[in-house]
Amino acid sequence: MTTWKAPKARKEPKELIAHNDVRIDNYYWLNQRENQEVLAYLQSENDFYDKGTEHTKAFQEELFKEMKSRIKEDDASVPYKLDGYWYKTRYEIGSEYPIYSRFRETLDSEEEIMFDGNEMAKGTDYFSLGGIAVSPDNSLAIFGVDTVSRRQYTLQVKNLGTGEIYPEKIENTTGGGVWSNDNKTFYYTKKDPVTLRSDKIYKHILGTPVTDDILVFHEEDDTFSTFVYKTKSKKYIVIGSHSTMTSEFQMLSLESPGEGFKMFSPRERGVEYSIFHFDDSFYILTNKDGATNFKLMKVGENLTHAAYWEEFIPHREDVLLEDVDIFKEYYVLSERENGLNQIKIVRWDGSDAYYLPFSSETYTAHVGNNRDFDTHILRYSYNSLTTPSSVIDFNMATKEETVMKVQEVLGGNFDKDKYVEMRLCAPARDGSKIPISLVHHKDTNLSKNTPLLQYAYGSYGYTIDPYFSTVRLSLLDRGFAYAIAHIRGGEYLGRQWYEDGKLLSKMNTFTDFIDCSKYLIDQHLTSAEHLYAMGGSAGGLLMGVVINMAPELYNGVIASVPFVDVVTTMLDDSIPLTTGEYDEWGNPNELEYYNYMKSYSPYDNVKAQDYPNLYITTGLHDSQVQYFEPAKWVAKLRELKKNDKLLYFDINMEAGHGGASGRFEALREAVKEYAFLLDLEGKIVL
């Protein structure tokens, strides 16, 4: 409870009319980013947060040091080989950003530093280095830089031999490029400057003015985005177009580039596919013909239309086929069954097929960076809620594995046997079973007095796997339990799990989370006095709905960069990314979707009731969820909430959707979240 006055935003009623329905938005004016009154209001919220948490500042500094002390500062990635060079990313002690380097032929050769992020970031509040693309002859590299955090990258080219950065600057790109085989031509993606939709593919030739760049493809459908890449076989450059539920590809043969891009198979609404080239064929991962969990099909190089696709691996009702990796002698399938990752290795000649053995109750395993085509080595990663991440090289021929790296947890106190992980199953109100992954310290006896942080995302088919976190140890070691609710809207239990949590079934996402909370309370693993919820972006939408529907279940809620003004945002097609979202949320220009969205939109459903303690964050330059959504939401919550529980709004005035860019500065955001929780539990001790 605070003893000083919270900020109060001025009310300026604005009528928003759609389908003859009138909504009054008293805080619409907060969307004026350059308005000094808006900036002053945001600053007053930051001041209020700083004053309210002043008593935690010393603890926050100690918590930051604790989190940082677990991180190996001079860490490095496991090197990978490509076209005669070994590439790796490393950090130096005290540095915020990585150094990208390479070694010719062997790791014993002299290190060549390609990019030093720390030098490049000097003089900026935010820095992000986009995708680095090395030319086929290894002499040049395309790179992109974003210093605003709106994911609008400026592309340049660096001579890796001389260190010279060429003068051409290509603005407003996605941050990467794709080389042709001539080492002077590359393709890149530009964004619409207003909506930030990736909508155009250009071709640039080194030494020519950027203004002469050739427009190769314009994706005119504003519900689609476009991208460009090169196949692993290096035979084709591919342009892809995608929406939430439809795909289309065009391809350019690098053996005959003069023929231009050819359509692979034209888009068909509701049909998703991705393509992989091997030998004289393409392999297509697709949901065609009702293959909800996807299947693998095959087609020759010359006649690639969907009419010619032949089944290679059939659809399975209980197994989601997530990805395919192509090697010269093997192909590797990434699958998910009953929520768990599986990796299957198959020889092309059919003489061998087997799964990698994983025995844990809950874990995460993913195929890693496998750039080399002609190799027997498969690189994959493995971790769990209690097990630090390992990078493993597996010999697909001999079936021998080599652990290349195990994530080091410094500080001397970590022992995985001190922690307990488990998988639970919560009953949903419609009879579905919602999996929950949970971890706690073995000395924490789960009871109604146990503080528990429940996390979820639940949108776009994105699955939050049970992963290891050194940062999370700071909660677990202080008696918190941590749970990931695998709610509908993700794909944890297959593609249908996603379909049942989108569009006109979106309410399942929210009720699943609430039902998981009730289950944790009913099982006496925590109680409403000690249960906390957390989500970001679309997971922040989840938090907004949950506190409107069931505020009594939570003592505190953290909503990071939350998407909370659903109806207004989805009606405004000038806002970045809106039109591409129609297949996820629906198009509110249609009455049925308008009414459904309005029924759950957090901002539209704030009402006079008690709300939990709240900590809400945003970034002024956020391109994914505009800052004014949470700003308006906070203002309305302050106006209507009936109790005097905490409501903090913390605005990063420099960053965007991803928060701070430096690895240690990003820790400070986690510190703030954890300090909020630990303070509510009376666990701040210096």
Side-chain angles (χ1 to χ4, degrees):
M1 180 176 134
T2 57
T3 56
W4 48 89
K5 198 171 182 181
K8 187 175 182 181
R10 174 174 58 82
K11 294 170 70 170
E12 182 181 303
K14 180 178 177 63
E15 284 192 352
L16 301 173
I17 304 173
H19 306 291
N20 296 316
D21 180 54
V22 179
R23 292 178 300 131
I24 304 297
D25 189 344
N26 290 319
Y27 304 107
Y28 188 87
W29 66 276
L30 287 171
N31 68 358
Q32 302 169 54
R33 190 192 312 269
E34 309 301 327
N35 184 320
Q36 289 304 309
E37 185 181 358
V38 171
L39 294 173
Y41 167 69
L42 297 178
Q43 188 57 54
S44 71
E45 286 286 1
N46 275 345
D47 292 343
F48 181 74
Y49 167 73
D50 287 338
K51 185 180 291 187
T53 57
E54 191 170 357
H55 65 287
T56 72
K57 298 301 185 187
F59 172 77
Q60 286 190 36
E61 196 57 38
E62 290 303 310
L63 194 58
F64 172 76
K65 291 176 183 176
E66 175 183 304
M67 291 179 179
K68 186 178 177 183
S69 72
R70 298 193 191 102
I71 297 173
K72 182 175 170 59
E73 291 201 38
D74 54 346
D75 203 4
S77 65
V78 180
Y80 67 88
K81 195 172 187 182
L82 181 66
D83 296 334
Y85 279 86
W86 288 92
Y87 290 87
K88 85 171 181 180
T89 304
R90 64 178 176 84
Y91 286 92
E92 293 183 340
I93 292 175
S95 69
E96 290 279 0
Y97 298 98
I99 295 169
Y100 299 86
S101 64
R102 65 179 186 172
F103 304 79
R104 188 181 180 91
E105 294 299 341
T106 74
L107 289 167
D108 295 327
S109 63
E110 183 180 357
E111 181 184 35
E112 299 177 24
I113 294 178
M114 300 188 297
F115 299 96
D116 183 340
N118 303 288
E119 289 296 320
M120 298 172 73
K122 285 183 177 177
T124 67
D125 292 316
Y126 177 91
F127 175 80
S128 176
L129 184 63
I132 299 168
V134 177
S135 60
D137 67 0
N138 294 311
S139 66
L140 305 171
I142 306 165
F143 67 100
V145 170
D146 172 18
T147 58
V148 178
S149 187
R150 281 183 68 78
R151 303 184 186 182
Q152 294 171 284
Y153 289 83
T154 299
L155 281 190
Q156 289 189 268
V157 175
K158 182 175 183 177
N159 187 308
L160 296 176
T162 66
E164 177 190 2
I165 296 178
Y166 295 167
E168 299 108 302
K169 288 188 175 183
I170 305 174
E171 308 285 348
N172 192 30
T173 77
T174 56
V178 178
W179 290 98
S180 188
N181 286 346
D182 62 4
N183 299 293
K184 66 178 183 180
T185 303
F186 65 83
Y187 298 82
Y188 62 91
T189 309
K190 289 203 77 166
K191 294 187 170 189
D192 182 287
V194 176
T195 67
L196 303 188
R197 180 173 68 92
S198 306
D199 66 341
K200 295 184 178 72
I201 306 292
Y202 281 89
K203 179 171 75 172
H204 177 74
I205 300 174
L206 288 180
T208 66
V210 172
T211 52
D212 290 349
D213 286 1
I214 298 169
L215 176 63
V216 176
F217 175 65
H218 180 198
E219 178 51 76
E220 296 184 352
D221 187 329
D222 62 6
T223 66
F224 280 74
S225 295
T226 188
F227 55 95
V228 61
Y229 69 96
K230 186 183 291 186
T231 60
K232 189 174 179 179
S233 66
K234 302 178 183 177
K235 186 174 178 180
Y236 293 93
I237 288 177
V238 178
I239 292 175
S241 292
H242 72 95
S243 70
T244 304
M245 56 187 296
T246 308
S247 314
E248 179 183 82
F249 292 90
Q250 304 168 60
M251 56 185 185
L252 171 73
S253 171
L254 290 174
E255 294 177 353
S256 51
E259 296 180 4
F261 282 87
K262 296 181 178 179
M263 178 63 65
F264 188 87
S265 189
R267 67 191 65 177
E268 179 183 342
R269 181 165 175 79
V271 174
E272 299 173 61
Y273 72 93
S274 51
I275 60 177
F276 308 84
H277 179 253
F278 172 68
D279 201 11
D280 59 356
S281 300
F282 283 96
Y283 293 81
I284 307 105
L285 182 64
T286 180
N287 66 346
K288 186 176 182 292
D289 302 322
T292 307
N293 274 336
F294 288 76
K295 60 183 176 180
L296 196 63
M297 304 188 79
K298 180 181 178 180
V299 74
E301 287 179 296
N302 297 322
L303 297 173
T304 59
H305 189 281
Y308 299 99
W309 298 357
E310 297 179 351
E311 191 171 274
F312 186 72
I313 295 177
H315 173 253
R316 290 161 289 175
E317 292 290 342
D318 56 348
V319 178
L320 175 65
L321 183 55
E322 293 187 314
D323 203 2
V324 182
D325 275 86
I326 303 291
F327 296 86
K328 185 177 181 180
E329 295 182 35
Y330 300 86
Y331 62 91
V332 178
L333 305 177
S334 294
E335 303 175 348
R336 186 183 295 273
E337 184 174 9
N338 192 28
L340 298 178
N341 304 124
Q342 297 184 135
I343 298 174
K344 185 178 184 181
I345 296 168
V346 187
R347 282 190 66 97
W348 284 110
D349 63 11
S351 63
D352 200 10
Y354 55 92
Y355 285 93
L356 294 182
F358 303 122
S359 58
S360 299
E361 183 180 355
T362 178
Y363 62 88
T364 299
H366 289 301
V367 171
N369 190 352
N370 292 277
R371 304 287 294 275
D372 196 354
F373 173 71
D374 188 4
T375 180
H376 287 161
I377 302 300
L378 170 73
R379 177 165 292 173
Y380 74 95
S381 64
Y382 177 91
N383 72 102
S384 76
L385 290 168
T386 63
T387 307
S389 181
S390 297
V391 177
I392 300 163
D393 278 0
F394 180 82
N395 189 310
M396 295 181 282
T398 67
K399 301 182 182 177
E400 297 173 322
E401 67 177 31
T402 304
V403 179
M404 302 300 293
K405 179 181 179 180
V406 177
Q407 179 184 1
E408 293 186 56
V409 184
L410 303 183
N413 296 319
F414 176 73
D415 176 358
K416 67 177 300 242
D417 293 331
K418 291 181 179 179
Y419 304 90
V420 179
E421 61 186 348
M422 63 184 74
R423 193 160 74 148
L424 308 171
C425 198
R429 60 195 65 186
D430 66 356
S432 299
K433 302 294 185 182
I434 316 299
I436 301 172
S437 298
L438 187 144
V439 62
H440 63 91
H441 195 284
K442 70 175 185 179
D443 293 339
T444 299
N445 295 315
L446 299 181
S447 73
K448 64 180 182 180
N449 296 318
T450 305
L452 189 151
L453 177 59
Q454 180 183 331
Y455 175 81
Y457 184 72
S459 291
Y460 302 105
Y462 182 72
T463 297
I464 305 296
D465 282 309
Y467 64 97
F468 182 79
S469 165
T470 63
V471 170
R472 190 190 301 135
L473 296 176
S474 291
L475 276 187
L476 303 183
D477 290 349
R478 289 174 172 82
F480 264 77
Y482 180 88
I484 301 172
H486 303 292
I487 56 181
R488 281 174 281 190
E491 282 186 345
Y492 187 77
L493 293 183
R495 179 60 176 226
Q496 194 61 46
W497 203 243
Y498 168 43
E499 298 292 339
D500 291 343
K502 63 187 283 195
L503 297 173
L504 297 174
S505 298
K506 190 64 202 171
M507 195 63 75
N508 286 332
T509 300
F510 315 130
T511 56
D512 281 0
F513 190 89
I514 291 169
D515 291 342
C516 286
S517 299
K518 290 179 177 178
Y519 172 79
L520 293 169
I521 292 170
D522 290 344
Q523 295 298 305
H524 304 299
L525 304 178
T526 187
S527 61
E529 291 75 28
H530 299 285
L531 179 58
Y532 300 88
M534 179 177 176
S537 193
L541 161 67
L542 171 65
M543 296 299 101
V545 178
V546 162
I547 64 169
N548 282 336
M549 292 178 65
E552 72 283 355
L553 294 179
Y554 310 95
N555 188 38
V557 172
I558 298 172
S560 306
V561 293
F563 171 42
V564 285
D565 191 13
V566 183
V567 179
T568 304
T569 292
M570 294 302 296
L571 280 169
D572 187 351
D573 60 13
S574 72
I575 292 177
L577 310 180
T578 291
T579 54
E581 304 281 287
Y582 288 160
D583 287 337
E584 178 72 22
W585 312 102
N587 182 349
N589 293 297
E590 299 175 23
L591 180 60
E592 183 179 25
Y593 287 108
Y594 175 87
N595 287 333
Y596 193 78
M597 280 182 197
K598 187 181 175 185
S599 74
Y600 67 75
S601 174
Y603 183 61
D604 290 289
N605 288 281
V606 173
K607 54 182 174 281
Q609 66 175 355
D610 289 345
Y611 281 94
N613 294 288
L614 298 172
Y615 175 58
I616 299 163
T617 68
T618 192
L620 183 63
H621 301 287
D622 196 326
S623 60
Q624 310 298 108
V625 178
Q626 305 295 306
Y627 76 91
F628 47 79
E629 289 200 37
K632 296 196 309 178
W633 184 44
V634 167
K636 192 171 182 181
L637 282 166
R638 290 207 187 284
E639 175 193 352
L640 293 177
K641 78 184 191 82
K642 294 174 66 177
N643 57 13
D644 58 358
K645 288 189 175 181
L646 300 175
L647 172 51
Y648 290 137
F649 186 32
D650 186 10
I651 308 105
N652 188 323
M653 303 297 278
E654 280 80 44
H657 198 63
S661 54
R663 60 172 174 160
F664 297 131
E665 283 306 306
L667 282 182
R668 294 195 180 277
E669 297 179 354
V671 163
K672 289 179 175 182
E673 293 167 352
Y674 284 14
F676 172 75
L677 299 172
L678 292 164
D679 191 28
L680 289 172
E681 281 294 316
K683 290 180 176 287
I684 289 188
V685 179
L686 287 173

